[in-house]
Amino acid sequence: MDLLADLDRRGLIHDSTDRAALAARLDGGPIGVYVGFDPTADSLHVGHLVGQLYLRRFQLAGHRPFPLAGGATGMVGDPSGRSDERNLLDLETLRHNVSRIEAQLQRILDFSPGRYQARLVNNADWTEPLSLLNFLRDVGKFVTINQMLAKDSVRSRLDSESGLSFTEFSYSLLQANDFRHLYEHEGVEMQAGGSDQWGNIVAGVDLIRRSLGKAAHAMTHPLVTKADGAKFGKSADGAVWLDPDKTSPYQFRQFWMQVDDVMVGRYLQMFSLRPLDALTGVLDEQTGAPGKRVAQRALADELTELVHGAEALAAVRAATDVLFGGDPMLATEATLAAVAREVPASKLQSAALVDLVGVLVGTGLASSNSDARRTLQQKGFRANGVVLTEDSQLTGLPRLHGRFLLLRKGKTNHHLVEIS
RNA sequence: GGGUCGGUACCCAAGCGGCCAAAGGGAGCAGACUGUAAAUCUGCCGGCUCAGCCUUCGUAGGUUCGAAUCCUUCCCGGCCCA
């Protein structure tokens, strides 16, 4: 199917420059496309996945993706969607973040040599050498303050208490300059991003037209939201990161497994790289029997494999089968060892088992002794599938393969204890 | 700088001398239903050696048999005046 039509049907087009012109250009042969990622943290999170996958979709359709790490723009801070001035990160943190993010950007795209080879760029490379005077002459001259003031992101901040610093005000100029630089030197003719980036992206399109007399293209995707309108990608413990050290592959997959029914179809279309035709079967099955969660499973498996690899996915699935499948007593020893690597786990001396409340707090399943007792009274804890009460003795319970005790709080919180 | 109103638990917000570990709502946790969903219902929601005790109502003192509640100091925030 035609790329634009595909993106459209997936609900991935929020805004675009002249659609017909863009379609004609895409038909004309490979085009360079860029998406920028700001290094505000040392890892990307699931919210960034849409942008990364956008690039991948273009690559699969025969175009050249340019993921951009905002080493320069990250120093300034994007005012879009912010009600307060950003705190600037120090240089060292920023460099660290950029290097971590660069590694993550290399995962989803194909960087092997060829016509469609992805290329990672960092805007610090051309922004740092830029002198202030040249910037004012080559960028500033083409932009009117009137236009900049008209932007929503600027206007809302002008009325606010905290105001808007000149630094953040200038942000969109830097991003516009990025686009022009990539246009001139790398043949990048299109920029994509979230709908909150529309203003910044168009600033680049304008700059290219005014200074080079050329037409560039732009397209944004809708920001992903949850069923209740809340920000996507936040779990109770914070953002869901792509870095396995910050969010384990198990937690990552769980995040997708627990997606609301009402959103899962939409997410599958937005995030899956599989052809839409291949998704209709899954979506039909989901609608017919939502309890089976086939859509959640498909989504979770595909993204976990994409971000963490096939091996990690296999390990996580094996663990999940034990945790959410049948009787843990039936799990093999190898599987339990895998579980130990995927869910929170700890080792305990068998003497420590005497203190039930102590164990529950020690594993982090309960936040305090009071919490542990309370949840026990509410039948919230299980060990090896058996409900615990305040009088339960962990000591007497049969251990899985002689040394494991699988604790569970509620339905989804597990902890594996290895007894020595 | 002057005046004024305010700072209560994770968030919002009542309380305005004892019945206050502190109403109500939200968030969160557990249970029931079901499906690792949503909605709904029920319970919980400072801590502990848990029929009791300890520590909390911006901070530090004071009045009182007794203070989140009254007085004073200081810190922070809103508004008004300069």
Side-chain angles (χ1 to χ4, degrees):
Chain A
M1 195 199 307
D2 168 51
L3 176 60
L4 288 184
D6 183 62
L7 290 174
D8 207 14
R9 281 183 53 194
R10 287 176 189 271
L12 284 173
I13 301 181
H14 184 265
D15 259 319
S16 79
T17 47
D18 187 350
R19 184 85 167 255
L22 179 56
R25 175 60 194 88
L26 291 176
D27 285 342
I31 183 177
V33 184
Y34 106 83
V35 173
F37 300 89
D38 268 347
T40 45
D42 62 357
S43 170
L44 298 174
H45 52 75
V46 289
H48 293 114
L49 227 36
V50 185
Q52 282 182 276
L53 290 168
Y54 228 76
L55 288 175
R56 180 60 180 154
R57 291 178 205 286
F58 271 83
Q59 185 170 41
L60 288 170
H63 302 285
R64 292 168 51 226
F66 288 76
L68 177 145
T73 36
M75 292 188 66
V76 165
D78 184 0
S80 304
R82 306 254 327 173
S83 54
D84 280 319
E85 183 81 9
R86 268 173 205 276
N87 290 319
L88 292 182
L89 296 170
D90 65 77
L91 220 62
E92 200 179 319
T93 310
L94 205 62
R95 289 222 175 93
H96 171 72
N97 290 355
V98 169
S99 71
R100 298 299 296 266
I101 285 171
E102 283 182 341
Q104 292 182 344
L105 287 172
Q106 308 211 32
R107 297 208 59 146
I108 287 172
L109 299 165
D110 183 1
F111 284 81
S112 57
R115 280 174 71 197
Y116 316 136
Q117 181 178 3
R119 176 133 187 260
L120 180 67
V121 291
N122 181 345
N123 59 12
D125 291 345
W126 57 85
T127 308
E128 273 176 12
L130 191 61
S131 81
L132 176 61
L133 288 176
N134 286 337
F135 176 75
L136 292 175
R137 292 176 65 98
D138 299 341
V139 179
K141 199 64 182 169
F142 295 101
V143 179
T144 66
I145 291 286
N146 312 50
Q147 278 181 324
M148 291 179 69
L149 289 175
K151 285 185 195 304
D152 282 347
S153 59
V154 170
R155 221 169 29 201
S156 63
R157 285 280 292 277
L158 287 180
D159 299 333
S160 81
E161 275 302 304
S162 43
L164 175 68
S165 70
F166 183 72
T167 305
E168 284 194 15
F169 180 63
S170 314
Y171 180 91
S172 76
L173 296 186
L174 287 182
Q175 189 167 329
N177 187 52
D178 288 344
F179 197 178
R180 186 178 65 182
H181 175 92
L182 291 171
Y183 187 98
E184 273 191 291
H185 301 277
E186 306 288 350
V188 171
E189 294 173 61
M190 171 173 168
Q191 182 180 179
S195 57
D196 58 335
Q197 290 298 308
W198 181 247
N200 291 333
I201 293 174
V202 165
V205 173
D206 281 344
L207 181 64
I208 290 169
R209 191 182 57 243
R210 289 193 186 152
S211 65
L212 305 176
K214 298 280 176 54
H217 306 278
M219 185 175 278
T220 57
H221 61 258
L223 295 178
V224 190
T225 52
K226 295 210 278 193
D228 57 6
K231 204 168 187 177
F232 172 80
K234 299 274 182 199
S235 72
D237 339 295
V240 178
W241 304 100
L242 304 191
D243 181 342
D245 292 331
K246 291 167 82 82
T247 299
S248 74
Y250 169 76
Q251 292 171 308
F252 181 86
R253 186 168 178 278
Q254 283 298 105
F255 170 77
W256 298 104
M257 282 300 289
Q258 287 165 0
V259 161
D260 290 358
D261 286 356
V262 285
M263 296 306 284
V264 72
R266 182 160 162 64
Y267 288 172
L268 200 56
Q269 292 186 324
M270 291 181 83
F271 288 97
S272 176
L273 287 172
R274 295 164 66 193
L276 281 170
D277 296 346
L279 296 180
T280 50
V282 177
L283 293 173
D284 287 347
E285 206 178 328
Q286 174 70 20
T287 319
K292 288 189 172 166
R293 317 173 69 79
V294 283
Q296 278 91 343
R297 210 172 303 274
L299 182 66
D301 284 351
E302 183 179 348
L303 292 176
T304 305
E305 178 167 4
L306 197 65
V307 172
H308 296 294
E311 215 171 291
L313 172 62
V316 172
R317 285 190 60 155
T320 309
D321 285 345
V322 176
L323 301 175
F324 295 95
D327 189 350
M329 297 296 282
L330 303 176
T332 68
E333 182 153 11
T335 312
L336 282 177
V339 169
R341 284 191 297 272
E342 300 301 331
V343 304
S346 56
K347 296 188 181 186
L348 279 182
Q349 305 284 324
S350 68
L353 295 181
V354 177
D355 180 10
L356 173 60
V357 168
V359 170
L360 295 174
V361 173
T363 55
L365 286 174
S367 62
S368 68
N369 292 4
S370 302
D371 184 43
R373 289 206 186 83
R374 218 178 277 137
T375 312
L376 280 169
Q377 280 164 11
Q378 297 175 140
K379 299 193 172 79
F381 287 113
R382 284 165 193 260
N384 297 344
V386 182
V387 175
L388 296 173
T389 67
E390 281 196 86
D391 309 316
S392 294
Q393 291 295 324
L394 290 177
T395 329
L397 282 173
R399 294 166 195 174
L400 309 179
H401 296 279
R403 59 195 171 100
F404 291 111
L405 213 49
L406 185 61
L407 300 175
R408 188 181 119 182
K409 180 185 147 204
K411 270 187 181 172
T412 60
N413 305 295
H414 296 88
H415 189 104
L416 189 69
V417 177
E418 188 176 345
I419 300 147
S420 52

